[in-house]
Amino acid sequence: MPITSHHNHLHTPLRQPASTTSSSFTSKILLLLTLLPVSLATIAFILQRRGGITDPATLLSPHGAHNFPGMDSSPLSPLTHTTHSSDCLNLGRSSSPSFPYYHNWKLDFGDSLTPKICVTSSTSAGLEQILPWMFYHKVIGVTNFFLFVEGKAATPEVSKVLESIPGVKVIYRTSQLEEQQAKSRIWNETWLASFFYKPCNYELFVKQSLNMEMAIVMARDSGMDWILHLDTDELIHPAGAREYSLRQLLLDVPGNVDMVIFPNYESSVERDDIKEPFSEVTMFKKNYDHLPKDTYFGMYKDSVRGNPNYFLTYGNGKSVARVQDHLRPNGAHRWHNYMKTPNEIKLEEAAVLHYTYAKFSDLTSRRDRCGCKPTKEDVKRCFMLEFDRSAFIIASTATEEEMLKWYNEHVVWGDKEVKIKLLRKGILTRIYTPMVIIQSLRESGVFSSVIASAPSLSKEKFLHSIDSSNSTRAIASLSLPSRKVGRTKESQATARKVLDLESSVFQELAVPPQSPPGVVEDSNLISHS
């Protein structure tokens, strides 16, 4: 027993120092590993605050490149940027991601981009809608814009800004323009005849076609390679390209292709208080062409939510055409050629994002543009699509409270479970890139700068600019005497007589806005309305 006690006494102190040494060494290592990155981060922070270190992002920018939009609000940025205030736009900053853009702040690429792409549009919108729409398309490679303006878009406050932007041609709807368009060969042909002499959407459709015909001439004179007709509530989404670029997308199109169809996705708003759809809407309903048939028809009832069709408005997309001889419009959604059947392809990923009824005020704005009676029979004269007819009747007959209730039931996606279900099935999808680009442009001061730098325009100069804008424009043909839409009964009768005489000549009819395929109630049959 004494021997054992002595043995334990001898070995106990030998074990304790070994354990203590190991623990102490481990603690020092852990302390060192903790203090080292903290110390380095502190030193870097102090240097950056004093301006002693350059933001790596600025070192990576090409020569002549500007600061990334949105970077000026970061403490890492060595530059400061002053934002001009404007009554036209909300230019408040946000915490959204940023993207690089090059050349000057007006995105004037000039001859540096190929192919050259132009967009034509007929619009009555204000700067708060046109500028984000335009500069977004500049970012993805559009070089020229031919804007046929009316209403708010034609006022001096708006038009002087638009005319100051490189690559933008503003065409006003004057009596001179209408006289030129009345001589168009379109009036002597049958492909658009079913839309003649009807009010509201039909009249707009004819007007858009006439404007597109003139834009073809302008595109050819400007050396454009491609032409695209878009409304100012539509954005091209060039998915599938090697970079987020319409230019790159069209660069990859085979040379024997004349036209490229972009199926459209429709905005699916989640609130009834949207103010700036391009910056606030990220959820879209996919086109039938981009969905498996089983998914589309299997989820049709959930997708429709009691509305007349899968989409609120049109579902047949838009097309871009190669600028070439004998090109003509084929309604607002397609192009055609007088001398041949165009070779047409449809894209599998890229789309047109259509922000339709994205704001509650869109209900009343459509109502205010049309003078039809709010009855089921009369609205058929004004609107081609069933949802537009229903919306017009509601906006014309209901109180503000009833309209808001109807809007939430038929337009706003408020049911979280249904949203999740359709997002998982791929019917609904999230697309953030347009929002990021437009918010970044706003943060960078592009919109406020272009407004601030626009020259002042006196009334005399404004009137002169209208005259000069229309005096040099040629149109495709001068085959008929002047004829306005619905001018007199006699002119209508003359026009119809001419059309009857030429009805034996086959011409592909204009493609109207069309709803996606529907499902006949209680059957699996497909209907195309």
Side-chain angles (χ1 to χ4, degrees):
M1 182 67 71
I3 295 174
T4 304
S5 176
H6 180 68
H7 177 81
N8 288 340
H9 179 71
L10 288 174
H11 285 81
T12 301
L14 292 175
R15 291 176 186 147
Q16 286 176 345
S19 175
T20 303
T21 302
S22 175
S23 175
S24 175
F25 179 74
T26 303
S27 299
K28 289 178 181 179
I29 291 296
L30 290 173
L31 181 62
L32 181 62
L33 292 174
T34 303
L35 291 176
L36 183 60
V38 173
S39 302
L40 291 174
T42 303
I43 293 169
F45 178 76
I46 293 171
L47 288 173
Q48 288 168 344
R49 294 289 289 180
R50 292 180 178 180
I53 192 169
T54 304
D55 182 358
T58 62
L59 296 174
L60 296 175
S61 299
H63 177 68
H66 285 263
N67 197 34
F68 288 11
M71 285 296 288
D72 49 292
S73 61
S74 167
L76 302 181
S77 175
L79 303 176
T80 58
H81 186 87
T82 304
T83 302
H84 299 274
S85 61
S86 169
D87 294 333
C88 299
L89 296 168
N90 173 19
L91 298 172
R93 301 187 182 281
S94 70
S95 58
S96 65
S98 300
F99 72 102
Y101 75 100
Y102 307 111
H103 298 272
N104 59 53
W105 58 265
K106 289 188 177 181
L107 297 171
D108 181 19
F109 297 103
D111 296 330
S112 62
L113 290 184
T114 54
K116 291 182 175 59
I117 307 164
C118 66
V119 167
T120 181
S121 184
S122 304
T123 182
S124 59
L127 291 177
E128 74 283 350
Q129 181 170 327
I130 296 176
L131 288 184
W133 171 85
M134 179 184 295
F135 279 91
Y136 167 84
H137 287 105
K138 277 179 172 280
V139 167
I140 64 171
V142 175
T143 56
N144 290 64
F145 296 82
F146 303 119
L147 302 181
F148 293 80
V149 297
E150 295 183 58
K152 192 174 182 180
T155 60
E157 294 78 11
V158 175
S159 60
K160 71 178 183 181
V161 174
L162 298 178
E163 288 190 332
S164 72
I165 302 170
V168 176
K169 176 67 178 174
V170 179
I171 306 97
Y172 301 89
R173 180 147 291 276
T174 62
S175 57
Q176 185 179 4
L177 176 71
E178 291 182 345
E179 288 173 3
Q180 286 181 324
Q181 292 188 338
K183 299 172 185 176
S184 165
R185 66 183 293 174
I186 285 177
W187 294 104
N188 199 27
E189 296 171 343
T190 59
W191 57 271
L192 195 62
S194 61
F195 299 89
F196 291 166
Y197 314 118
K198 294 180 181 179
C200 202
N201 275 17
Y202 290 90
E203 183 179 357
L204 174 62
F205 194 75
V206 173
K207 193 182 295 182
Q208 287 174 327
S209 299
L210 291 166
N211 292 344
M212 290 165 69
E213 183 186 47
M214 295 186 74
I216 292 170
V217 178
M218 299 179 197
R220 190 175 62 232
D221 292 346
S222 302
M224 296 293 109
D225 298 304
W226 293 92
I227 186 169
L228 171 65
H229 174 258
L230 284 179
D231 297 325
T232 50
D233 64 350
E234 298 170 329
L235 301 178
I236 288 291
H237 175 54
R242 285 175 288 172
E243 57 191 59
Y244 196 79
S245 165
L246 177 61
R247 182 193 65 81
Q248 186 63 59
L249 198 69
L250 295 178
L251 199 61
D252 294 338
V253 171
N256 66 334
V257 172
D258 301 305
M259 294 165 202
V260 180
I261 298 174
F262 290 77
N264 63 296
Y265 290 8
E266 192 172 79
S267 60
S268 300
V269 299
E270 299 169 83
R271 309 193 320 269
D272 61 14
D273 60 348
I274 300 290
K275 301 300 180 187
E276 295 178 351
F278 295 152
S279 298
E280 298 179 61
V281 177
T282 62
M283 191 169 75
F284 297 86
K285 190 185 288 187
K286 280 190 176 182
N287 194 283
Y288 166 79
D289 288 323
H290 284 182
L291 288 169
K293 289 184 179 180
D294 291 346
T295 301
Y296 177 83
F297 291 111
M299 304 301 297
Y300 190 85
K301 187 175 181 180
D302 288 325
S303 305
V304 169
R305 298 188 307 154
N307 287 321
N309 200 269
Y310 175 79
F311 276 162
L312 302 181
T313 51
Y314 79 88
N316 54 325
K318 292 288 182 76
S319 73
V320 57
R322 202 183 291 275
V323 178
Q324 54 187 295
D325 291 341
H326 311 297
L327 181 66
R328 72 159 172 86
N330 199 33
H333 294 259
R334 294 290 188 273
W335 305 87
H336 202 60
N337 193 294
Y338 281 112
M339 302 304 291
K340 66 177 182 178
T341 300
N343 182 19
E344 208 171 59
I345 64 170
K346 186 175 291 185
L347 296 178
E348 297 297 324
E349 296 180 71
V352 173
L353 304 181
H354 185 203
Y355 295 76
T356 186
Y357 289 97
K359 297 186 292 183
F360 174 62
S361 60
D362 288 345
L363 280 180
T364 53
S365 65
R366 280 171 170 79
R367 175 198 67 192
D368 297 339
R369 290 199 301 266
C370 292
C372 287
K373 297 175 184 178
T375 63
K376 288 186 177 181
E377 287 303 315
D378 204 53
V379 292
K380 292 179 181 179
R381 297 189 307 114
C382 288
F383 302 99
M384 303 178 204
L385 300 175
E386 191 60 40
F387 186 86
D388 286 331
R389 298 168 182 170
S390 301
F392 180 82
I393 292 174
I394 289 294
S396 303
T397 59
T399 64
E400 187 82 8
E401 185 178 350
E402 290 169 337
M403 284 170 55
L404 188 61
K405 183 175 183 292
W406 185 90
Y407 184 78
N408 274 282
E409 290 174 351
H410 293 269
V411 180
V412 178
W413 289 79
D415 191 323
K416 188 176 180 180
E417 289 185 7
V418 174
K419 276 194 299 186
I420 292 174
K421 181 180 180 181
L422 294 181
L423 282 166
R424 286 174 176 169
K425 291 289 185 179
I427 298 285
L428 296 176
T429 186
R430 294 282 182 186
I431 299 175
Y432 295 97
T433 310
M435 177 191 73
V436 171
I437 289 176
I438 288 171
Q439 286 185 351
S440 299
L441 285 167
R442 181 175 286 110
E443 289 176 357
S444 71
V446 168
F447 305 147
S448 56
S449 295
V450 77
I451 292 170
S453 64
S456 58
L457 194 65
S458 66
K459 183 178 180 181
E460 291 75 17
K461 287 183 178 179
F462 175 66
L463 294 174
H464 176 71
S465 69
I466 294 178
D467 292 336
S468 62
S469 293
N470 297 315
S471 61
T472 58
R473 289 298 101 203
I475 58 175
S477 175
L478 305 176
S479 58
L480 282 183
S482 178
R483 185 187 300 116
K484 285 188 180 181
V485 176
R487 178 182 286 177
T488 63
K489 291 183 179 179
E490 183 180 356
S491 66
Q492 292 181 28
T494 304
R496 290 183 182 124
K497 184 178 179 181
V498 173
L499 293 172
D500 289 340
L501 291 174
E502 296 204 353
S503 61
S504 59
V505 180
F506 174 77
Q507 293 176 329
E508 182 171 327
L509 299 181
V511 178
Q514 296 172 340
S515 295
V519 177
V520 177
E521 193 68 27
D522 298 325
S523 75
N524 293 322
L525 296 177
I526 301 172
S527 68
H528 293 269
S529 54

